[in-house]
């Protein structure tokens, strides 16, 4: 076999549930950034991304000295282009998977990071999110802002209990349930910065937010910066004021109150396609904004902050300006609460309009999102 045959073998193994690496010359180019010729030959003995292989078995299959195999595995895991569980090793799908882990670790050369960023940007723009649609897959859902329960939500006292605000709908739960927090770089905005196309809302460093044991892991490995509870609250408020959406996985289990992406629609590989193409990979929250036009001063902050461009100013035609209003396009709104949290006049409230209950667990193949980026 020639060397490209080995890269093709490994490309086919980067499969996990609805995730796969497209058969495209740029994918092979990307894999050559991740793995050199010796490494790709070793990886050809790996199983698909839903399984692990023990070191002992890998040595036997590759017919290479144990120390040589261990050295290659150590280097690849340092760059987070493979995953590890005890003494077993495995492949990751391209995205989510290698993409998040590789750019979070940033243990490769700047030259390689920039090359990889250029290729990943191509696929983020072209096709990656569409793979979820073929499987009817929703990946993320918005959590309401940090002060939503106190300031942004109107609940009728007579409303059915099933329609009350529930803990899994609030980012506040991450704060209340944990004492350890960390911020990791937003890989999507990092790719944009490496491509000299920085986000106008926030830097890559103002990225994802992790609580609990995951935060401890990220801080200890140098992949994240630790925050105390007070700093965590201020950080979340900062991202809200910047217009970022608190997205968590589409589930109600532990993962949904340990991890959130702070997403911009201009660069996020999930939120962006939701906005641009209407893809349901970002599930709507159970809330929609309602504007009190008596309080609204038409400052257009909400219009400018809305990540989905779902709000517009209807300029008046009547002589008394009675038709001067801010309008919500509910078909485009995902119910993130960014408009409400940024309204200085408290003229926008979040109203519960549906009671979609996410599943307890969201599996991508046989792994969770956290398992994909923290192995």
């Amino acid at each position: 076999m020639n060397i490209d045959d080995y890269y093709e073998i490994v490309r086919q193994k980067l499969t996990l549930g609805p995730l796969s690496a497209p058969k495209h010359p740029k994918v092979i180019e990307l894999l050559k950034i991740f793995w050199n010729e010796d490494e790709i030959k070793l990886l050809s003995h790996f199983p698909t991304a839903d399984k692990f292989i023990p070191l002992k078995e890998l040595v036997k299959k590759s017919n290479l000295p144990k120390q040589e195999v261990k050295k290659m595995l150590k280097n690849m895991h340092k760059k987070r282009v493979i995953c590890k569980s005890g003494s077993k090793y495995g492949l990751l799908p391209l995205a989510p998977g290698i993409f998040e882990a590789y750019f979070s670790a940033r243990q490769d050369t700047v030259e390689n990071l920039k090359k990889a960023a250029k290729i990943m940007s191509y696929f983020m723009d072209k096709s990656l999110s569409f793979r979820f649609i073929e499987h009817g897959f929703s990946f993320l859902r918005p959590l309401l802002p940090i002060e939503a329960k106190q300031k942004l939500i109107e609940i009728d006292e007579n409303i059915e209990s099933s329609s009350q605000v529930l803990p899994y709908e609030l980012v506040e739960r991450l704060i209340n349930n944990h004492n350890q927090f960390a911020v990791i770089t937003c890989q999507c905005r990092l790719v944009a910065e490496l491509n000299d196309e920085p986000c106008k809302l926030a830097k890559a460093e103002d990225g994802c937010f992790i609580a609990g044991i995951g935060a401890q892991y990220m801080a200890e490995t140098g992949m994240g910066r630790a925050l105390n509870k007070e700093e965590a609250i201020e950080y979340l408020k900062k991202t809200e004021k910047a217009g970022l959406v608190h997205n968590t996985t589409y589930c109600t289990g532990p993962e949904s109150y340990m991890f959130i992406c702070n997403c911009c629609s201009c660069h996020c590989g999930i939120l962006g396609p939701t906005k641009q193409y209407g893809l349901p990979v970002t599930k709507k929250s159970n809330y929609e904004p309602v504007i009190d036009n008596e309080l609204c001063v038409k400052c257009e902050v909400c219009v400018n902050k809305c990540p989905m461009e779902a709000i517009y100013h209807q300029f008046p035609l009547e002589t008394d300006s009675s038709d001067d209003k801010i309008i919500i396009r509910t078909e485009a709104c995902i119910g993130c609460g960014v408009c409400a949290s940024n309204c200085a006049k408290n003229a926008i409230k979040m109203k519960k309009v549906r009671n979609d209950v996410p599943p307890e667990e969201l599996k991508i193949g046989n792994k969770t999102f956290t398992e994909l980026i923290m192995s």
Side-chain angles (χ1 to χ4, degrees), residues 28-47:
I28 301 301
E29 185 181 344
L30 184 63
L31 302 190
K32 288 181 177 180
I33 295 171
F34 294 153
W35 302 302
N36 63 35
E37 294 185 5
D38 290 333
E39 290 168 343
I40 203 70
K41 288 177 181 178
L42 180 64
L43 294 179
S44 69
H45 299 291
F46 273 50

Side-chain angles (χ1 to χ4, degrees), residues 29-148:
E29 185 181 344
L30 184 63
L31 302 190
K32 288 181 177 180
I33 295 171
F34 294 153
W35 302 302
N36 63 35
E37 294 185 5
D38 290 333
E39 290 168 343
I40 203 70
K41 288 177 181 178
L42 180 64
L43 294 179
S44 69
H45 299 291
F46 273 50
T48 51
D50 59 338
K51 299 179 179 69
F52 287 88
I53 184 169
L55 174 61
K56 184 177 180 180
E57 183 180 345
L58 193 54
V59 170
K60 182 178 179 180
K61 283 189 172 185
S62 65
N63 200 28
L64 293 172
K66 182 178 180 180
Q67 289 305 312
E68 185 177 338
V69 172
K70 287 181 70 175
K71 183 178 180 180
M72 282 193 283
L73 292 172
K74 182 179 180 181
N75 180 60
M76 289 187 285
H77 186 250
K78 180 181 179 182
K79 293 193 297 182
R80 293 300 194 274
V81 291
I82 61 170
C83 57
K84 182 181 179 183
S85 178
S87 61
K88 297 180 180 180
Y89 296 82
L91 293 169
L92 292 163
L94 188 56
I98 295 177
F99 167 65
E100 289 81 5
Y102 175 76
F103 285 105
S104 290
R106 281 183 279 182
Q107 291 297 310
D108 209 345
T109 64
V110 173
E111 180 184 6
N112 277 350
L113 286 165
K114 287 186 174 183
K115 287 180 180 178
K118 186 173 183 179
I119 297 171
M120 283 305 307
S121 181
Y122 173 86
F123 285 110
M124 288 166 69
D125 290 341
K126 299 292 182 182
S127 66
L128 282 181
S129 290
F130 288 93
R131 305 296 294 180
F132 293 114
I133 301 308
E134 297 172 12
H135 299 266
F137 194 85
S138 292
F139 184 49
L140 299 177
R141 64 181 175 90
L143 293 175
L144 293 183
I146 189 70
E147 295 179 331

Side-chain angles (χ1 to χ4, degrees), residues 24 57 89 97 131 135 168 207 241 249 256 295 303 342:
H24 191 285
E57 183 180 345
Y89 296 82
R131 305 296 294 180
H135 299 266
Y168 67 76
K241 294 306 178 185
T249 51
S256 71
L295 295 176
V303 175
N342 279 280

Side-chain angles (χ1 to χ4, degrees), residues 81-320:
V81 291
I82 61 170
C83 57
K84 182 181 179 183
S85 178
S87 61
K88 297 180 180 180
Y89 296 82
L91 293 169
L92 292 163
L94 188 56
I98 295 177
F99 167 65
E100 289 81 5
Y102 175 76
F103 285 105
S104 290
R106 281 183 279 182
Q107 291 297 310
D108 209 345
T109 64
V110 173
E111 180 184 6
N112 277 350
L113 286 165
K114 287 186 174 183
K115 287 180 180 178
K118 186 173 183 179
I119 297 171
M120 283 305 307
S121 181
Y122 173 86
F123 285 110
M124 288 166 69
D125 290 341
K126 299 292 182 182
S127 66
L128 282 181
S129 290
F130 288 93
R131 305 296 294 180
F132 293 114
I133 301 308
E134 297 172 12
H135 299 266
F137 194 85
S138 292
F139 184 49
L140 299 177
R141 64 181 175 90
L143 293 175
L144 293 183
I146 189 70
E147 295 179 331
K149 196 171 182 180
Q150 294 81 11
K151 293 186 177 182
L152 309 180
I153 300 174
E154 280 193 335
I155 297 290
D156 189 323
E157 291 182 1
N158 298 317
I159 202 166
E160 294 180 8
S161 60
S162 62
S163 294
Q164 296 285 348
V165 58
L166 299 172
Y168 67 76
E169 297 172 320
L170 303 169
V171 74
E172 176 184 288
R173 185 168 74 156
L174 280 79
I175 299 297
N176 293 342
N177 285 29
H178 300 283
N179 291 304
Q180 293 176 300
F181 309 95
V183 176
I184 63 173
T185 300
C186 171
Q187 299 85 37
C188 299
R189 288 196 289 278
L190 177 60
V191 163
E193 289 176 7
L194 289 168
N195 285 322
D196 296 321
E197 298 173 348
C199 176
K200 295 179 180 179
L201 299 182
K203 296 179 179 179
E205 294 302 322
D206 293 328
C208 305
F209 182 85
I210 300 180
I213 191 170
Q216 180 181 345
Y217 172 84
M218 287 297 184
E220 289 177 350
T221 58
M223 295 172 68
R225 69 179 190 273
L227 302 176
N228 60 34
K229 185 165 286 193
E230 183 179 277
E231 291 169 334
I233 292 171
E234 290 306 309
Y235 175 75
L236 290 172
K237 289 180 179 179
K238 174 185 175 182
T239 59
E240 291 164 8
K241 294 306 178 185
L244 303 182
V245 178
H246 299 318
N247 272 324
T248 190
T249 51
Y250 182 60
C251 66
T252 60
E255 188 174 32
S256 71
Y257 59 88
M258 289 177 60
F259 178 86
I260 57 171
C261 292
N262 290 306
C263 303
C264 62
S265 60
C266 47
H267 291 98
C268 177
I270 300 295
L271 189 59
T274 300
K275 172 184 174 180
Q276 187 173 0
Y277 304 111
L279 303 183
V281 282
T282 304
K283 196 81 169 180
K284 292 187 176 188
S285 82
N286 286 326
Y287 294 82
E288 286 179 0
V290 176
I291 297 177
D292 183 338
N293 274 289
E294 295 298 317
L295 295 176
C296 178
V297 296
K298 319 300 184 295
C299 65
E300 298 189 0
V301 168
C302 59
V303 175
N304 296 323
K305 291 286 185 181
C306 178
M308 308 307 289
E309 296 182 358
I311 307 177
Y312 68 95
H313 187 174
Q314 176 183 281
F315 297 115
L317 294 177
E318 301 296 332
T319 54
D320 63 356

